[in-house]
Each structure stands twice: as C-alpha cells, then as structure tokens.
C-alpha cells in the first residue's frame, strides 16, 4: 500500500489517484537569483515522489510554475518586488532576468537528474487566465476591489486555515492602518493595480496591473490539471500562507476541494542553522562543484534523510555522502559479472522490502539500507539487475565513467596522490605524465582528485 503524509489531514494516508494518471502540482522557483541547494532539495523531493509513483505503475501528469513575474518580497503582499530589485541590480529587463535564472535553474535540475514535470509554465504565459480566475472569484462574491487592487475576502471561506494557519494571529494592526481598505488583515491580493513606474504590468478589467503571488499557482493548476489535483508539493515555508491562499482561491472558484494531498518538505539547514546571505552560507550547486563534488553526490545526500525532517548540510556530511555513493557504485559494479544467483524467494523479498520503504511515505534511508543489504549477497548479475530496477527511483548514473577506469590507472593515480601529499613533487609529476601518456588526466580538488579519461 502506498502511503503519503498529507498535511491537510496531518496523518499518513493511503494514496490512490482520482484517475489513471496522477496529477501533481509543484510550486516552482522564483527566477530572480541563483537557486540554492535548499531549493534543490525541494525539487529532489518532487523527483522522489514522481519516480516513486512511476515505480508503482502510475502515469504522471505534472506541472510546475516558474514565477517570472515580479511579486512582493513577503507572502503578505508587502516589501519590495524581487524582480524589480534584480533588474536594478543587474541592469537588465525583468524578462532578461527571468530568462537568465530560468536557464540556471534548468541546468541545475538537469544536472541532478531530476525527473521534470510534463509542463513547466511561466506565470507570464497565463496572465489572461489569471484575469479570468480573478473575475470568476469576483463574480462569485469572494473578492472585492480597493484602490490598491482586487483582494480575496477570507471571511467568505469557512475552510481557511486547513493547513494550520491561524488567521486570528494576524491581528488588526499596523497593516490595517497602512491599508485601511482591507476588510481583514489576512485578506490577500489577487490582482495589484500598478503604479506607472512598475516594470511589469498588463491591461485588465481593473486597469493596468499585475497578479498577486498566490494566484498563478491556482490558475496554472486549473489550466493544466483541471479541478481535481491529486498531489500538491512545496517547502514548509509555503504551507501557512501561500498554500492556504491557494486552497481558498481554488476551492472557492470550483465550489469543491481541488487538491487531495498536500505534501511539504522540511528545510535544508546549513551548519545547523538557516541559510542566509548575511551569513555567507547560501550554497549553489555550482559552489559544490567548485569544491570538487558532483551533483550526484548531493542527490545521494538527499536520500540520507527523510523529507519531513530538517536535513543539515555541511561539507563533511556531503563528503560522507560522496564516499557512500562511491562505495555503493563499486559494490554494484562488482555484481555486474557475478556468477552466483539470487533465489526467486530472496529476490522477491528484497523487491518487497524496497517497495515497502518507498511506499511508506518515501522512506529513502530505509530504501538505501535495503540496497546495502542486497549488495552484501554473493556476487550475482541478479543483484545487479535488481539494483538497476531500484535505480528507477534512485536515479543514479550507474554507467558512470569511473567504472571503465582500469585498476592499474586507479593505482597509478593513487600513488601520484600519495607522492603529492608527501610533497614528493618530482615523482608526482612523473606519475602524472605517465597517466597522461596512458590517456588519463588527473583533476585535483580540495578533498581529493578525479580521474578523467581523455
Ligand atoms: P522560491 O524560489 O523561494 O519560491 O523557492 C522554491 C522552492 O524551494 C519552494 O518550494 C521553497 O519552499 C523551497 N525552499 C526554499 N528554501 C529551502 C530550504 N532551505 N530547504 C528546502 N526547501 C527550500
Ligand atoms: Zn505555489
């Protein structure tokens, strides 16, 4: 039985989709700066769900938005417009900013071998649909107009707070004084009337303006998946405002519950704390690569913790993921030409254990432990084949180049590394030359070296 933890019901529930195909929506990136490895944890989570569902035989219809329209820095419609800030910082148009960072994002997710959703939709491509959505809410009496824009009236939606946010916590205070037209402090903007100088704006029934930041997800979900969505994913930071607001918009427009499973990923911490620019601890995938790690090391690192727990990133823990991955692959390759065989019963039991682990709300640490146990069996092609099957979920590159590097070359490279460590540079250089004559280049980095076939 496949079970996921549902943030709506606050328990693990059996998952079955509405139809044959699983419809899944994932909140995507805001493309105004480099995505960091915390963001990447969110997309590895999406990948983990998609691959697990496919492994269970489901077809996928997935959607992810790209927030390429400026929205305000806080969830609560306050602060600066992020795209505008980036435009000014980089002397580019918002369109250029969005294109540049969307490309960076796509490069990173591809490097991590993330199984991408069938539709990746920029918010700016659905402005007309957003306007229709807002009009629909207005016609049904869920929205009202102020001099600033069109607001959602949360008092009209009895279901507000399903994900646990307490609307009374937002006491009438400073915000109300600033914007006396809002009926409730938690009412949020669906459409914002743009001052002339605002860089991204579109014509609408309410004059020139731009969408509020929650509406794009409800609109894109409706347009691409319809009014019954099986799963919606995102990081925990989005749970109590962004996702409450999405529920309010979508359920009120459709007149019924739209999303059945809300799944939230806990944050990646750095050195035990929050990632923050001021602490200089916001790492990108490129930073990890510059330190000699492969994207796949980070992919393996993701599997080492459960998604519902905070995961602490340090370079030491990434190094340990890297070593485990190396050992994991070596062990797999040793089975490739193994002559022993796995009994049908054993094979079935490993299959079942692996399935039980992934189907128990994506318990990847247990799934890895099942693989480790399997790899301890006598060397057998059956083990190799079974691991390749499990790899449909893990998504690792089992045909990596290192496999084809002969032992002799590995030994030479190791001798060179030792010579270098012992400051015996002449010997290290001559071994490097020998390796080069055999067609291999050695790339050193902080923690070790890579052997590259020329
Ligand atoms: P954003 O581009 O800020 O909307 O974030 C994109 C995705 O990354 C969202 O699903 C966020 O919840 C998620 N996210 C942001 N920071 C972290 C973090 N430190 N750890 C895990 N996920 C994060
Ligand atoms: Zn969203």
């Amino acid at each position: 039985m496949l079970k996921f933890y549902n943030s709506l019901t606050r328990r693990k529930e059996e998952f079955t989709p509405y139809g044959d195909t699983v419809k899944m929506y994932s909140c995507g990136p805001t493309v105004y700066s480099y995505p960091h490895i915390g963001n990447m944890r969110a997309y590895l989570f999406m990948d983990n769900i998609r691959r697990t569902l496919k492994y269970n035989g489901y077809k996928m219809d997935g959607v992810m938005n790209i927030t390429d329209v400026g929205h305000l820095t806080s969830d609560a419609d306050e602060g600066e417009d992020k795209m505008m800030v980036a435009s000014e910082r980089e002397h580019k148009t918002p369109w250029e900013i969005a294109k540049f960072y969307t490309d960076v994002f796509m490069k990173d997710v591809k490097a991590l071998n993330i199984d991408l959703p069938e539709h990746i939709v920029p918010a700016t491509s659905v402005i007309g649909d957003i306007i229709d959505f807002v009009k629909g809410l207005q016609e049904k009496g869920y929205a009202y107009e102020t001099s600033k824009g069109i607001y959602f009236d949360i008092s009209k939606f009895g279901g507000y707070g399903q994900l646990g946010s307490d609307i009374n916590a937002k006491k009438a205070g400073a915000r109300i004084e600033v914007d006396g037209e809002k009926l409730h402090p938690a009412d949020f903007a669906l459409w914002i009337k743009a001052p002339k100088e605002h860089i991204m704006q579109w014509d609408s029934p309410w004059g020139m303006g731009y969408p509020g930041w929650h509406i794009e997800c409800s609109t894109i979900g409706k347009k691409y998946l319809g009014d019954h969505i099986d799963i919606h994913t995102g990081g925990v930071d989005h749970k109590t405002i962004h996702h409450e607001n999405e529920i309010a918009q979508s359920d009120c427009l459709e007149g019924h519950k739209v999303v059945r499973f809300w799944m939230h990923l806990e944050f990646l911490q750095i050195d035990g704390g929050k990632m923050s620019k001021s602490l200089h601890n916001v790492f990108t995938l490129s930073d990890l690569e510059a330190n000699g790690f492969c994207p796949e090391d980070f992919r393996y690192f993701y599997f080492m913790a459960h998604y519902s727990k905070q995961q602490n990133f340090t370079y030491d823990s990434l190094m340990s993921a890297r070593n485990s991955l190396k050992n994991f692959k070596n062990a797999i390759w040793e089975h490739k030409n193994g002559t022993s065989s796995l009994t049908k019963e054993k094979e079935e039991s490993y299959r079942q254990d692996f399935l039980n682990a992934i189907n128990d709300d994506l318990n990847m640490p247990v799934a890895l432990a099942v693989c480790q146990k399997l790899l301890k069996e006598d060397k057998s092609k059956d083990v190799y084949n079974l691991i390749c099957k499990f790899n449909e979920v893990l998504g690792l590159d089992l045909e990596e180049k290192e496999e084809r590097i002969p032992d002799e070359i590995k030994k030479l490279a190791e001798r060179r590394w030792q010579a270098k460590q012992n400051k015996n540079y002449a010997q290290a250089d001559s071994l490097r030359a020998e390796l080069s004559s055999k067609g291999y280049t050695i790339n050193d980095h902080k923690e070790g070296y890579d052997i590259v076939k020329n």
Side-chain angles (χ1 to χ4, degrees):
M1 193 201 291
L2 173 56
K3 281 188 170 180
F4 290 140
Y5 182 87
N6 187 352
S7 303
L8 261 189
T9 56
R10 293 166 185 72
R11 59 186 174 83
K12 269 193 229 176
E13 280 182 63
E14 182 179 355
F15 175 80
T16 45
Y18 282 111
D20 303 338
T21 301
V22 177
K23 300 193 175 211
M24 173 161 141
Y25 189 94
S26 303
C27 284
T30 310
V31 282
Y32 68 97
S33 67
Y34 288 98
H36 53 65
I37 53 173
N39 301 132
M40 288 303 133
R41 187 179 191 217
Y43 304 110
L44 283 165
F45 171 53
M46 172 187 80
D47 167 277
N48 199 187
I49 302 173
R50 286 177 56 83
R51 288 177 183 268
T52 296
L53 288 162
K54 287 182 177 178
Y55 189 87
N56 277 274
Y58 291 116
K59 287 207 259 334
M60 289 301 303
D61 193 8
V63 180
M64 178 171 69
N65 62 303
I66 300 270
T67 303
D68 60 344
V69 47
H71 69 67
L72 306 173
T73 34
S74 92
D75 279 349
D77 305 326
E78 291 160 10
E80 294 166 297
D81 180 320
K82 294 178 185 176
M83 294 295 281
M84 189 127 81
V85 171
S87 288
E88 281 162 13
R89 181 185 66 219
E90 299 182 25
H91 310 290
K92 289 182 181 161
T93 67
W95 301 96
E96 287 164 343
I97 294 285
K99 163 95 178 64
F100 179 81
Y101 290 109
T102 302
D103 290 349
V104 174
F105 171 79
M106 293 306 291
K107 190 171 142 277
D108 282 2
V109 289
K110 283 181 185 154
L112 284 165
N113 197 23
I114 285 172
D115 184 37
L116 289 170
E118 287 61 29
H119 315 274
I120 297 179
V121 187
T124 50
S125 72
V126 294
I127 299 293
D129 304 280
I130 288 176
I131 291 170
D132 288 345
F133 203 118
V134 177
K135 274 202 303 203
L137 284 173
Q138 220 178 7
E139 280 157 19
K140 291 193 168 184
Y142 290 109
Y144 60 91
E145 185 167 358
T146 75
S147 63
K148 304 248 166 52
I150 309 298
Y151 283 83
F152 187 91
D153 182 351
I154 62 158
S155 70
K156 298 272 168 61
F157 179 48
Y160 199 87
Q162 292 176 44
L163 290 171
S165 69
D166 176 7
I167 50 169
N168 295 320
K170 277 198 164 186
K171 295 252 160 44
R175 179 73 195 137
I176 275 275
E177 282 154 30
V178 174
D179 184 359
E181 294 175 89
K182 259 176 38 163
L183 299 177
H184 187 284
D187 287 354
F188 55 92
L190 298 166
W191 185 263
I192 300 161
K193 295 177 182 172
K196 263 205 192 65
E197 66 279 8
H198 196 270
I199 39 183
M200 284 178 121
Q201 46 181 294
W202 293 265
D203 200 10
S204 79
W206 317 282
M208 295 301 286
Y210 57 99
W213 106 261
H214 317 289
I215 194 74
E216 74 184 64
C217 289
S218 287
T219 305
I220 293 172
K222 177 179 171 62
K223 179 166 180 174
Y224 288 86
L225 300 175
D227 63 343
H228 284 101
I229 297 176
D230 295 299
I231 303 175
H232 192 308
T233 73
V236 278
D237 55 328
H238 287 343
K239 191 159 115 181
T240 52
I241 296 185
H242 181 50
H243 291 162
E244 292 284 12
N245 292 352
E246 275 192 51
I247 292 176
Q249 296 165 155
S250 300
D251 291 11
C252 288
L253 186 77
E254 307 296 356
H256 61 78
K257 184 163 81 172
V258 172
V259 174
R260 275 184 53 214
F261 275 75
W262 284 88
M263 294 179 67
H264 290 103
L265 162 94
E266 255 299 345
F267 260 34
L268 182 76
Q269 305 276 97
I270 306 266
D271 292 325
K274 206 174 146 52
M275 265 191 280
S276 138
K277 289 225 167 84
S278 58
L279 296 171
H280 305 290
N281 65 1
V282 181
F283 300 122
T284 64
L285 202 58
S286 309
D287 293 330
L288 305 194
E289 289 179 276
N291 278 293
F293 292 94
C294 306
E296 203 176 46
D297 300 332
F298 187 67
R299 185 177 178 85
Y300 195 85
F301 173 82
Y302 165 87
F303 294 136
M304 294 169 79
H306 192 261
Y307 78 83
S308 65
K309 303 271 185 303
Q310 289 182 346
Q311 186 175 22
N312 190 36
F313 176 88
T314 60
Y315 272 110
D316 280 348
S317 55
L318 185 62
M319 181 53 103
S320 113
R322 177 196 168 122
N323 289 334
S324 305
L325 175 61
K326 219 177 198 168
N327 296 338
F328 188 63
K329 287 191 177 184
N330 286 338
I332 294 169
W333 294 329
E334 284 176 13
H335 282 279
K336 202 168 182 177
N337 300 312
T339 49
S340 199
S341 57
L342 203 59
T343 62
K344 282 283 156 251
E345 295 74 44
K346 267 196 173 174
E347 184 176 326
E348 193 41 46
S349 140
Y350 281 114
R351 258 183 215 281
Q352 199 53 55
D353 289 351
F354 185 81
L355 188 68
N356 288 347
I358 59 171
N359 283 5
D360 179 19
D361 195 28
L362 310 169
N363 199 334
M364 297 315 291
V366 171
L368 282 188
V370 174
C371 295
Q372 300 291 3
K373 192 171 161 214
L374 169 61
L375 289 168
K376 292 209 175 78
E377 294 285 348
D378 292 341
K379 302 288 170 271
S380 158
K381 181 91 184 164
D382 298 339
V383 170
Y384 180 80
N385 290 340
L386 195 52
I387 287 280
C388 287
K389 174 73 190 158
F390 297 165
N391 197 44
E392 289 172 16
V393 178
L394 303 176
L396 301 170
D397 178 8
L398 298 185
E399 296 299 329
E400 210 191 18
K401 56 184 185 303
E402 218 179 278
E403 184 197 12
R404 292 182 288 274
I405 294 174
D407 281 344
E408 176 211 346
I409 299 295
K410 286 187 190 162
K411 277 185 200 144
L412 274 179
E414 189 54 33
R415 272 177 54 207
R416 186 202 145 265
W417 177 251
Q418 290 309 331
K420 196 176 158 195
Q421 298 306 300
N422 299 333
K423 303 199 173 5
N424 191 345
Y425 297 115
Q427 194 193 2
D429 284 349
S430 105
L431 285 163
R432 178 190 278 279
E434 189 179 343
L435 281 157
S436 170
S437 72
K438 294 185 153 84
Y440 291 87
T441 303
I442 304 298
N443 292 331
D444 286 339
H445 43 76
K446 252 197 218 150
E447 288 84 4
Y449 59 89
D450 288 318
I451 312 172
V452 182
K453 198 166 194 274
N454 295 335

